[in-house]
């Protein structure tokens, strides 16, 4: 079998998604997600100008070899643009291979290690009562675990909380020019224990609760937050410090037993090296889409498993249903699965990307369709072309830019 055609499409059924489609001489097609929120067109160019011309004529069964040649052959390794592009190729090749075998992808990854894939949903509120309502809504939808984000007194907007939308996704913050939000770490650190206290008092000790600090704290601030939240037994504290510095988590770890999760902005196993071997984290959270695909993410999970660290694939709404499908196949197959982030997509997105994976009572299943089980409606996709959209930037009260 040979690859005879490659094309990349950007569609915006509410938000932008970048999709690679590979076609073989046997008429099989494979899809891969290359969406990099706010920098979509850079990945399109990387694929169109530098990767797709190399793919035509290749044997699509050579998944590992193609991955290695794109990664090593570029010489300039890593980075989100490169790894999103490689991820799209990798997933499209796995899709083709599984379709050629007539099997759902998870069967090629070792088969199911569980019956279904547990998820967490997003709950958020401008204040605590609104947050409690939002948790109630997620529980009514069946979610077995909930991430809680709350507005902070004195701040206009914070990550995960919007004045107009309950979805918890940054989609509502996105604009053609970055929106400016404000931030005050002290106010946040003072408020968060009250938030968790109220949620625990309302929903009891058994509900797994998560919280995302979105890279905003210094190591010692993160250590304080982890300690202050210990009585509420979080499932995890996510991205407590900026991702570049692995040393920071050594400091945090020394001070708190609150479990730690990181990795949504990581691109390769090297970003995790010390974090895994020194057991400084509890969950690895990279997305199939930003980590170079199923091939390297599977290796990461196997590496992490030696240290009892579990998987938690990043699943925001800026991962397309193609990237989500690949994630759910991997979730079902790996032994050290932890949890899958999931908040669904808009109805229009679900029409553009018809998928075999299902979400029922808070649990996902990849379905039994051969491949990853996603079909792109190209006409509908084309009717919703790319729209410039950026994530917000964060500024302190004196105007200094802070991590968003
Ligand atoms: C999460 C993430 C996302 C990111 C988003 C940026 O935990 O789901 O923090 O919401 O902010 O993916 O594009
Ligand atoms: Mg996050």
């Amino acid at each position: 079998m040979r690859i005879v055609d490659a094309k990349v499409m950007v569609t915006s059924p509410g938000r932008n998604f970048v999709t690679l489609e590979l076609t073989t001489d046997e008429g099989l097609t494979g899809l891969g997600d290359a969406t990099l929120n706010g920098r979509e067109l850079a990945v399109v160019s990387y694929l169109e100008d530098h990767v797709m011309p190399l793919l035509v004529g290749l044997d699509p069964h050579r998944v590992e070899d193609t991955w290695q040649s794109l990664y090593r052959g570029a010489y300039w390794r890593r980075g989100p643009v490169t790894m999103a592009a490689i991820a799209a190729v990798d997933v499209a090749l796995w899709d083709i291979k599984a379709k050629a075998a007539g099997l759902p992808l998870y069967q090629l990854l070792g088969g199911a290690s569980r019956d279904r894939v547990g998820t967490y949903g997003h709950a958020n509120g401008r204040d605590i009562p609104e947050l409690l309502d939002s948790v109630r809504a997620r529980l009514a939808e069946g979610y077995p675990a909930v991430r809680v984000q709350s507005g902070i007194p004195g701040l206009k907007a914070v990550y995960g909380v919007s004045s107009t939308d309950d979805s918890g996704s940054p989609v509502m913050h996105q604009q053609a020019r970055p929106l400016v939000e404000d931030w005050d770490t002290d106010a946040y650190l003072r408020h968060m224990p009250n938030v968790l206290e109220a949620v625990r008092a309302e929903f009891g000790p058994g509900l797994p609760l998560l919280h995302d600090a979105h890279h905003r704290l210094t190591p010692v601030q993160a250590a304080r937050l982890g300690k202050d939240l210990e009585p509420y037994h979080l499932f995890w504290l996510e991205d407590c410090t900026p991702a570049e510095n692995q040393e920071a988590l050594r400091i945090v770890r020394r001070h708190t037993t609150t479990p730690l999760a990181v990795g949504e902005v990581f691109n390769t196993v090297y970003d995790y090296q010390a974090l895994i071997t020194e057991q400084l984290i509890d969950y690895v959270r990279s997305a199939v889409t930003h980590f170079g695909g199923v091939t390297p993410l599977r290796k990461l999970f196997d590496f992490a498993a030696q240290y009892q660290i579990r998987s938690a694939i990043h699943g925001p709404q800026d991962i397309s249903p193609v990237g989500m499908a690949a994630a759910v196949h991997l979730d079902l197959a790996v032994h050290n699965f932890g949890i899958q982030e999931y908040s669904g997509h808009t109805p229009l997105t679900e029409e553009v990307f018809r998928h075999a994976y299902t979400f029922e009572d808070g649990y996902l299943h990849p379905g039994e369709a051969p491949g990853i089980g996603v079909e792109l409606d190209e006409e509908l996709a084309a009717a919703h072309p790319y729209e410039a959209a950026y994530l917000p930037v964060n500024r302190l009260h004196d105007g200094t830019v802070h991590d968003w």
Side-chain angles (χ1 to χ4, degrees):
M1 191 159 46
R2 296 283 151 198
I3 297 169
V4 291
D5 193 25
K7 69 177 172 191
V8 65
M9 288 156 280
V10 189
T11 180
S12 186
R15 64 181 316 138
N16 293 312
F17 296 113
V18 181
T19 311
L20 174 72
E21 185 187 64
L22 302 180
T23 305
T24 73
D25 54 356
E26 295 182 12
L28 289 177
T29 56
L31 296 178
D33 180 24
T35 308
L36 185 60
N37 197 8
R39 296 291 183 273
E40 296 86 355
L41 300 185
V43 191
V44 172
S45 161
Y46 194 103
L47 281 166
E48 279 183 345
D49 298 329
H50 304 295
V51 172
M52 283 153 54
L54 307 178
L55 297 178
V56 174
L58 293 188
D59 174 359
H61 278 306
R62 297 184 66 166
V63 183
E64 177 74 27
D65 183 66
T66 305
W67 193 93
Q68 297 294 345
S69 70
L70 291 176
Y71 181 76
R72 293 173 198 280
Y75 187 65
W76 312 106
R77 299 177 188 181
R78 314 196 285 166
V81 175
T82 299
M83 298 314 286
I86 295 178
V89 176
D90 184 74
V91 171
L93 293 181
W94 276 112
D95 194 17
I96 291 170
K97 187 187 278 295
K99 282 180 182 168
L103 292 169
L105 175 60
Y106 76 83
Q107 294 290 14
L108 272 57
L109 301 174
S113 284
R114 57 195 49 76
D115 300 330
R116 52 190 190 152
V117 168
T119 67
Y120 68 91
H122 293 182
N124 59 78
R126 281 166 297 180
D127 54 22
I128 291 174
E130 207 174 88
L131 171 63
L132 298 181
D133 284 346
S134 181
V135 174
R136 246 172 247 122
R138 296 296 87 80
L139 294 180
E141 286 157 9
Y143 280 101
V146 183
R147 189 190 81 170
V148 292
Q149 305 295 134
S150 168
I152 309 298
L155 298 185
K156 287 193 287 293
V158 300
Y159 164 75
V161 179
S162 141
S163 51
T164 54
D165 189 330
D166 179 46
S167 77
S169 163
V171 63
M172 64 276 188
H173 297 291
Q174 290 192 297
Q175 307 204 345
R177 304 233 9 119
L179 193 76
V180 178
E181 294 183 352
D182 57 346
W183 182 244
D184 177 341
T185 303
D186 284 338
Y188 167 77
L189 291 176
R190 278 197 306 275
H191 191 57
M192 279 316 296
N194 306 334
V195 171
L196 267 301
E197 170 80 38
V199 176
R200 274 285 172 240
E202 185 72 15
F203 299 100
L207 176 63
L209 293 174
L210 302 78
H211 176 67
D212 189 351
H214 227 241
H215 304 119
R216 293 178 179 202
L217 308 177
T218 66
V220 82
Q221 289 167 342
R224 171 180 154 193
L225 181 64
K227 254 174 120 156
D228 287 353
L229 298 185
E230 273 171 24
Y232 312 110
H233 298 289
L234 284 186
F235 185 92
W236 76 43
L237 172 61
E238 174 178 334
D239 290 336
C240 55
T241 52
E244 296 90 334
N245 180 16
Q246 299 193 17
E247 292 284 325
L249 289 166
R250 202 170 283 137
I251 298 173
V252 181
R253 194 64 151 182
R254 222 175 269 151
H255 292 284
T256 179
T257 55
T258 293
L260 302 174
V262 300
E264 66 182 49
V265 299
F266 288 179
N267 310 122
T268 70
V269 67
Y270 302 105
D271 299 325
Y272 282 108
Q273 212 164 21
L275 302 183
I276 291 177
T277 56
E278 295 181 33
Q279 304 185 86
L280 303 178
I281 54 172
D282 301 282
Y283 295 90
V284 291
R285 288 194 64 261
S286 293
V288 174
T289 306
H290 303 131
F291 201 75
V294 165
T295 299
L297 201 52
R298 174 66 202 248
K299 293 176 188 177
L300 172 72
F301 293 160
D302 288 346
F303 175 35
Q306 311 313 311
Y307 298 86
Q308 295 175 286
I309 295 170
R310 292 194 286 157
S311 78
I313 299 179
H314 189 210
Q317 290 183 329
D318 47 281
I319 297 293
S320 86
V322 174
M324 181 56 67
V328 181
H329 283 276
L330 204 44
D331 290 333
L332 197 73
V334 294
H335 176 255
N336 58 327
F337 168 76
I339 200 164
Q340 173 65 55
E341 182 183 29
Y342 183 73
S343 35
H345 289 97
T346 63
L348 184 57
T349 303
E350 304 258 325
E351 264 184 73
V352 171
F353 299 92
R354 286 184 308 270
H355 54 79
Y357 67 80
T358 51
F359 177 71
E360 237 175 89
D361 298 330
Y363 288 81
L364 287 157
H365 192 282
E368 300 300 334
I372 59 167
V374 184
E375 308 227 348
L376 176 67
D377 181 333
E378 288 189 29
E379 228 171 88
L380 193 57
H384 300 277
Y386 170 77
E387 284 176 47
Y390 292 94
L391 288 162
V393 295
N394 222 357
R395 288 185 187 273
L396 306 179
H397 294 319
D398 68 357
T400 308
V401 171
H402 191 72
D403 300 282
W404 184 76

